[in-house]
Amino acid sequence: QQQQQQQEQQQQRLWTLVPGAARLHPAKQQELEATEQDQARNDHRGDMALRLSVAMLEQLIGHDESVVSTTTEPVTTTTEPSMASLEQQLAWHARDSATPKLPQPPPSSSSLQQQIATHVDERVAALQARILPTPKLQGIFTTACQPYVELSAQGSSHSIREYLPNGTYTLVYEEFEGQECQGAATSHMTLHGQATFLGGNPSGTAKASMRFTHGRVLLPGGPAGEAQAKALNNHCPCGASWSARSWSSFTAKNCANTLSSNTDDTPVYCRLFSGHAQHGNYGFDDRTWGQYLSSFDTLDDDKAGFTRPLASVPRTRLHETGVEDPKACDAARLARCSYVARWAASECDNCTGKLGCTLCVSAGVSEHVSSLAFADCCPCFHATNNPDLDVHC
């Protein structure tokens, strides 16, 4: 009864805050009051349940450290909005509104319930963000084509990264003439390495270190490729003889044994190929873990690397089904995927390696058809027996 009386008093105060409420017909006013009182009794139970949910989560955060992220950032508590503060907000709204309004009915208890529920949802999301740490990277992630201009020359690049559960990491990076990542790549790198994930930061990002162990590189042609080949031969031949527009393979051990003293003109990729550690941060756009960004890595300096903000282009997870069996390309699927397969075969006939071909085919199909078409048609790519369509599904 006391709770009911409080609700009724609060409803009476709210009546005075709404423009035009006093001009309502007395009979209509009584009818609305009775309806609102019934609704208030039901909504009160919902308010208590929502607040109890937050209280339980806050108790979990405060007393069970085993489920909390390793960050040291203190949990910020937020006081639930009181009825008085909600009334004050309504009062400010009524006072500051300069546009004349038609008479409006009093705010229902359900609208107050909605405000409280919204606040609770935000509170729960904040608590879940602390309960659920940023996960380790796992799966295949691609970047969209990125046009660039260097010394008045136009070009473009794209990349794909694969993270396996055992920490193995593969990067494929390609550059092209023109700004649409089409045709044969002018340069290509397939680099294999090991990723180590080192837990979260107070900002919500996570730390990672990576080292390359071996790889295969196609240097570009022309003056740029000749300059790169000369620098590699002078500073870190890695047991190979580098030349423009030519493929070379390396291992970190061979590169480290041939690495010259570190001087200003030592190419940065000499240290990359030699297995020097790259340190940086990464973070996801949302809790679906479907897209992440990273900071610009530092070589060997972990303290500087772990303080840098996220700055890369988005890296989007490839939707994988795991179905590569050509038998899964039945008549219905072949009917809707034959055009896609023919297009991919013609556009990606110069792709390199399974991961590189996955990048070419998935990027083209996603851009010209849809992101889901790649996963749907992937078994039909394998049914063609075309090596250019040997892709990850």
Side-chain angles (χ1 to χ4, degrees):
Q1 291 177 351
Q2 184 178 3
Q3 292 175 351
Q4 179 180 347
Q5 290 176 356
Q6 291 177 350
Q7 289 283 348
E8 292 173 355
Q9 293 173 358
Q10 291 163 352
Q11 283 297 128
Q12 290 296 329
R13 290 198 301 272
L14 289 174
W15 274 84
T16 64
L17 302 175
V18 181
R23 294 192 293 273
L24 291 175
H25 191 277
K28 184 65 176 178
Q29 179 176 346
Q30 292 177 0
E31 179 182 348
L32 289 172
E33 284 180 345
T35 302
E36 294 298 332
Q37 289 171 7
D38 292 338
Q39 184 66 39
R41 297 188 191 98
N42 295 328
D43 290 344
H44 177 71
R45 300 187 185 96
D47 293 349
M48 294 301 294
L50 288 168
R51 288 173 176 162
L52 180 61
S53 298
V54 174
M56 291 175 66
L57 283 171
E58 290 177 336
Q59 185 177 12
L60 179 64
I61 288 292
H63 295 89
D64 188 355
E65 297 296 333
S66 64
V67 298
V68 184
S69 172
T70 56
T71 62
T72 58
E73 182 184 11
V75 178
T76 303
T77 58
T78 305
T79 306
E80 296 291 347
S82 65
M83 186 66 72
S85 67
L86 293 175
E87 292 176 1
Q88 190 177 33
Q89 293 176 26
L90 290 171
W92 287 341
H93 175 75
R95 181 194 62 194
D96 296 338
S97 178
T99 305
K101 294 182 175 63
L102 295 175
Q104 300 290 329
S108 67
S109 180
S110 60
S111 66
L112 301 178
Q113 168 77 8
Q114 185 176 10
Q115 293 184 46
I116 294 173
T118 300
H119 172 79
V120 171
D121 288 342
E122 293 172 351
R123 190 79 184 98
V124 170
L127 293 172
Q128 287 178 338
R130 292 191 54 78
I131 295 173
L132 299 174
T134 299
K136 298 178 180 179
L137 294 172
Q138 187 170 325
I140 297 177
F141 294 83
T142 64
T143 63
C145 183
Q146 301 296 313
Y148 64 84
V149 176
E150 288 184 357
L151 301 177
S152 73
Q154 294 185 353
S156 55
S157 66
H158 62 189
S159 63
I160 186 169
R161 292 163 173 80
E162 181 180 28
Y163 301 90
L164 297 180
N166 62 0
T168 301
Y169 163 67
T170 302
L171 164 67
V172 173
Y173 174 82
E174 295 180 320
E175 292 185 346
F176 302 83
E177 292 181 349
Q179 297 194 311
E180 296 182 355
C181 297
Q182 293 182 354
T186 56
S187 66
H188 174 103
M189 288 194 297
T190 297
L191 306 178
H192 305 277
Q194 194 71 24
T196 304
F197 301 101
L198 303 170
N201 293 307
S203 62
T205 61
K207 297 174 284 191
S209 295
M210 299 181 184
R211 297 175 185 268
F212 292 124
T213 57
H214 61 287
R216 190 165 178 256
V217 179
L218 171 67
L219 294 181
E226 293 173 359
Q228 292 179 24
K230 181 179 179 179
L232 286 165
N233 287 324
N234 289 340
H235 294 279
C236 56
C238 304
S241 178
W242 299 85
S243 60
R245 200 58 191 166
S246 177
W247 286 94
S248 297
S249 299
F250 73 90
T251 65
K253 181 179 179 180
N254 287 340
C255 286
N257 290 338
T258 61
L259 180 63
S260 64
S261 58
N262 197 17
T263 61
D264 291 341
D265 59 345
T266 301
V268 65
Y269 35 78
C270 277
R271 284 188 286 167
L272 290 176
F273 296 170
S274 300
H276 284 239
Q278 308 166 67
H279 305 285
N281 297 318
Y282 69 94
F284 287 86
D285 279 356
D286 53 40
R287 289 292 163 180
T288 65
W289 321 127
Q291 190 176 75
Y292 83 95
L293 294 87
S294 72
S295 62
F296 292 123
D297 298 339
T298 60
L299 277 169
D300 302 321
D301 188 350
D302 57 346
K303 291 184 179 179
F306 294 151
T307 60
R308 290 191 170 185
L310 306 182
S312 71
V313 297
R315 299 165 182 175
T316 305
R317 183 191 296 276
L318 184 69
H319 181 65
E320 298 178 83
T321 63
V323 181
E324 296 184 3
D325 187 354
K327 295 179 181 179
C329 184
D330 55 22
R333 179 171 287 174
L334 181 62
R336 63 177 179 268
C337 293
S338 58
Y339 165 76
V340 176
R342 288 196 304 271
W343 178 91
S346 64
E347 291 294 322
C348 298
D349 57 344
N350 293 306
C351 61
T352 302
K354 188 169 185 176
L355 201 58
C357 290
T358 301
L359 172 60
C360 179
V361 175
S362 65
V365 172
S366 297
E367 178 181 357
H368 296 282
V369 187
S370 75
S371 58
L372 296 179
F374 173 79
D376 180 40
C377 296
C378 206
C380 294
F381 300 153
H382 288 269
T384 64
N385 294 320
N386 186 331
D388 295 333
L389 297 182
D390 181 20
V391 297
H392 291 276
C393 292

